Amino acid sequence: MSAAPASPVPGDSTDAAARARGGLPGEPAVRVPRLLEAVRSVGSGLELHSKLDRICETAAELTGARYAAIGVVAEGGEGLADFVHHGVDEETVRRIGRRPDGHKGLLGALIRDPDPVRLANLADDPRCCGFPAGHPPMHSFLGVPIRVQGEIFGNLYLAEKRGGGTFDDDDLDMVRVLATEAGIAVGNARLYEAAQQRERWIDGSVAVTTALLAGGDAEDALQTVAEQARRLSGSAAGIVLLPVEEGGLEVVAVASDHPSKELGVVVPPESELVVELRDGKPVFLADASADPRMRADLTRDYGPVMMLPLQSDGRVLGALLTPRSREGRQFTETERTLATRFASQAALALMMAETQRDRERLAVYEDRDRIARDLHDLVIQRLFATGMMLESAQRRSNVPEVRRGVGRAVDELDITIQEIRTAIFALRQDPAEMPSGLRTRVLREINTAAVPLGFQPGHRFTGPVDTLVGELAGKNLIAALREALSNAFRHAGASRIEVSVDADVLLPDGRPGVRLAVADNGVGIPEGGRRSGLKNLERRAESLGGASWHGPGIGADGGGATVVWQVPH
């Protein structure tokens, strides 16, 4: 079979509409009611993607085409941003793999030259570059542009006329009318969707700010940023990265449907992408899995990615990544603009969180200084005076048992004074100057928590904690301990807390691990209460291949709660 001329087909949409009103050649008035019903159907509703589905289905029904599709042209006219199809089942779609991108072949030619094209056999057209493996055979073809307010929105493709025939003039006329009405309907849908989209992004920014102002900790705020960014951008994940001392960026929050292994990954400072982000420049990747600048462990399952600096007042606090799946469509210019504004708002929220943490840290330091002064000026002096009184009584006593007993009491007082002096030294020492072993970091968190709690939590270590537990597991254990102590302070109303760290445990799969348990005698965990803290613990443990759960506490009859968090070494 030879191809019909691929040049623009004579006639315009005005002629087609007139023929539709007066009857179509070859089939007078028989197909007109179907066309009018199709126009009415296409014009109903405002959701864009469902409208495109309806246009494909309607065009296929009117022309007797086995397959129909709409290629939505990307902003800027380079390739296709979306591809909506009808007639190909999901199993075949999975077999084919990537959807057409419109960069080459006949679909690319129709983007560059958006005029109607009718072919008797696709394979005979020199612009056709063949089909991928698993693609169903297609011969006859009809392509018509869809214009929205004078601009090309995309092209409507029809293929494989049922019965083995070719698309005729009547088919072309009907599809032209349908494409004209579709352009009007799509224009309205795009305006509506753009307004809805802006409203969603504004609501997401408000949710991030509200989460921070509600008194949530920094990790809650970062997780909220990741979750909102993922939801609003329609991405497979939302990832927040913050700078590390070495100059790179570390993944500190991940929102996705599956347990994430990205948490804790550090992108080195020599990465080109890190340099651009830390300079405050957004980066947009068409296919992260194929970009050599990206780390494979971060992007092996992703396609289009927005990488946005979290920047406010000229200061870059981190970065926000919103990757889509490999089959996902490219981000539009509108989505990029809205996401960039959201990232700026999130950066402002992070600056507020940092200011709030600085205030809280200053309050803790002031309390530590006051406690240290009181211990030195009051408690030690009184203990010292008591010891001198006991020594004097010991010298005056003639009873050996009394002298020995008083001597033991004096020795205990000396030991107590030394312990208090050690505590005073620790209170007056900057936490940043203290040793960085895991045991020391756990004790530091416990001592810091003692100030708002009003009492000192107990602690117990099992096994060589400092040597067995790796840096990543240790860093996340400290974050989990901070979360658990914070929950106990804010919600439990406890008067006793016990912290244990066991480096000798075996996980259910037989791997060696470390277990953190924080038990209290408070009110317990109410049913249906706020569980964001517990979810954070579960998410953090699962990202490292571990688990977290809670059970009865150490109060009377099992009152209170015990939070358990364990991961591999």
Side-chain angles (χ1 to χ4, degrees):
M1 294 177 66
S2 60
S7 57
V9 178
D12 57 22
S13 58
T14 304
D15 296 335
R19 276 200 297 265
R21 287 191 297 269
L24 296 171
E27 294 186 24
V30 174
R31 298 164 76 185
V32 172
R34 293 169 58 198
L35 176 60
L36 295 177
E37 175 61 24
V39 168
R40 186 199 64 78
S41 174
V42 166
S44 63
L46 286 172
E47 202 279 317
L48 182 56
H49 211 275
S50 63
K51 187 178 292 294
L52 297 180
D53 284 332
R54 195 179 305 125
I55 294 170
C56 287
E57 184 179 355
T58 302
E61 180 184 349
L62 285 174
T63 60
R66 188 180 300 275
Y67 308 107
I70 292 178
V72 180
V73 178
E75 295 184 30
E78 293 296 326
L80 297 177
D82 199 4
F83 190 79
V84 181
H85 58 84
H86 169 77
V88 180
D89 60 79
E90 291 304 317
E91 179 58 34
T92 303
V93 171
R94 281 193 293 271
R95 245 187 353 259
I96 295 172
R98 293 184 76 87
R99 60 175 174 77
D101 55 18
H103 288 148
K104 59 183 180 179
L106 182 58
L107 300 191
L110 288 175
I111 294 174
R112 294 185 293 273
D113 186 17
D115 288 307
V117 172
R118 184 157 36 114
L119 302 172
N121 189 0
L122 273 166
D124 293 337
D125 192 281
R127 296 170 295 181
C128 184
C129 57
F131 297 114
H135 197 285
M138 294 182 182
H139 301 90
S140 54
F141 175 84
L142 177 61
V144 176
I146 298 177
R147 290 179 169 83
V148 175
Q149 297 176 346
E151 295 183 359
I152 293 297
F153 168 80
N155 287 288
L156 173 58
Y157 316 114
L158 299 166
E160 201 65 8
K161 179 95 169 176
R162 294 183 186 276
T166 60
F167 295 102
D168 55 25
D169 290 340
D170 292 346
D171 294 324
L172 175 62
D173 289 338
M174 296 191 75
V175 172
R176 276 176 140 173
V177 173
L178 184 63
T180 300
E181 295 299 324
I184 297 171
V186 166
N188 293 335
R190 291 180 83 177
L191 290 174
Y192 174 77
E193 191 163 282
Q196 293 290 98
Q197 191 177 41
R198 284 194 296 271
E199 184 177 343
R200 289 195 299 270
W201 280 96
I202 292 172
D203 289 343
S205 298
V206 171
V208 170
T209 306
T210 302
L212 177 65
L213 297 181
D217 58 23
E219 290 188 12
D220 280 345
L222 292 172
Q223 190 63 35
T224 301
V225 171
E227 290 171 353
Q228 291 290 341
R230 178 204 175 204
R231 179 182 67 86
L232 294 168
S233 63
S235 299
I239 304 173
V240 177
L241 301 94
L242 294 184
V244 292
E245 292 182 3
E246 296 78 12
L249 292 173
E250 178 186 5
V251 177
V252 296
V254 179
S256 64
D257 284 336
H258 308 290
S260 172
K261 292 182 170 49
E262 291 99 345
L263 199 65
V265 171
V266 176
V267 185
E270 56 269 19
S271 166
E272 295 179 30
L273 299 175
V274 170
V275 173
E276 291 193 51
L277 289 170
R278 298 201 71 163
D279 285 343
K281 301 174 183 176
V283 179
F284 304 102
L285 305 180
D287 186 359
S289 63
D291 196 302
R293 298 173 295 173
M294 288 294 294
R295 283 187 55 144
D297 52 356
L298 273 178
T299 59
R300 62 170 59 93
D301 298 323
Y302 298 138
V305 178
M306 288 192 292
M307 308 178 69
L308 308 169
L310 294 171
Q311 182 175 222
S312 180
D313 196 23
R315 180 183 172 195
V316 177
L317 303 177
L320 173 64
L321 273 64
T322 57
R324 283 177 174 162
S325 64
R326 290 187 180 183
E327 296 76 25
R329 61 179 177 81
Q330 297 294 323
F331 292 99
T332 66
E333 194 63 37
T334 299
E335 288 175 321
R336 295 180 180 186
T337 301
L338 292 172
T340 301
R341 292 175 184 170
F342 173 84
S344 297
Q345 181 66 29
L348 178 60
L350 289 176
M351 289 186 67
M352 294 171 62
E354 185 177 15
T355 302
Q356 180 174 309
R357 289 196 301 273
D358 288 342
R359 287 198 302 266
E360 293 173 352
R361 192 179 298 115
L362 179 60
V364 169
Y365 288 164
E366 290 175 347
D367 275 346
R368 287 160 64 100
D369 287 341
R370 177 184 56 77
I371 293 169
R373 287 194 304 270
D374 290 347
L375 288 173
H376 182 272
D377 298 340
L378 300 176
V379 178
I380 287 184
Q381 296 302 324
R382 289 182 179 179
L383 289 175
F384 188 72
T386 302
M388 293 182 64
M389 291 171 60
L390 289 173
E391 286 179 340
S392 176
Q394 182 187 33
R395 287 193 297 271
R396 291 196 298 268
S397 174
N398 295 321
V399 180
E401 291 81 1
V402 173
R403 292 172 63 87
R404 285 194 297 272
V406 172
R408 285 195 299 271
V410 171
D411 291 341
E412 288 295 328
L413 283 176
D414 286 340
I415 293 173
T416 301
I417 290 172
Q418 290 302 320
E419 290 177 346
I420 292 176
R421 282 176 173 164
T422 301
I424 292 172
F425 177 76
L427 286 169
R428 286 180 170 170
Q429 191 176 21
D430 188 335
E433 299 173 359
M434 299 178 72
S436 57
L438 180 58
R439 182 187 299 263
T440 302
R441 284 183 283 168
V442 169
L443 292 174
R444 184 190 308 164
E445 292 298 328
I446 292 173
N447 289 332
T448 300
V451 175
L453 286 170
F455 63 89
Q456 184 77 17
H459 62 272
R460 184 178 75 256
F461 295 94
T462 304
V465 172
D466 287 336
T467 57
L468 283 183
V469 182
E471 180 59 29
L472 181 59
K475 180 167 58 177
N476 281 276
L477 185 144
I478 292 299
L481 172 60
R482 188 180 301 129
E483 179 81 42
L485 289 173
S486 174
N487 289 341
F489 166 65
R490 288 187 291 172
H491 308 300
S495 60
R496 180 184 166 208
I497 296 177
E498 295 291 335
V499 176
S500 69
V501 179
D502 186 351
D504 289 336
V505 302
L506 285 178
L507 303 183
D509 59 5
R511 289 179 295 171
V514 58
R515 176 181 297 157
L516 167 70
V518 180
D520 66 64
N521 65 343
V523 298
I525 300 174
E527 293 293 330
R530 186 172 179 264
R531 302 292 181 94
S532 62
L534 295 176
K535 288 180 180 177
N536 285 343
L537 292 173
E538 292 174 7
R539 189 184 300 111
R540 186 178 291 277
E542 290 172 354
S543 70
L544 299 176
S548 180
W549 65 91
H550 60 86
I554 55 175
D557 300 324
T562 298
V563 175
V564 182
W565 187 91
Q566 66 179 27
V567 296
H569 285 155

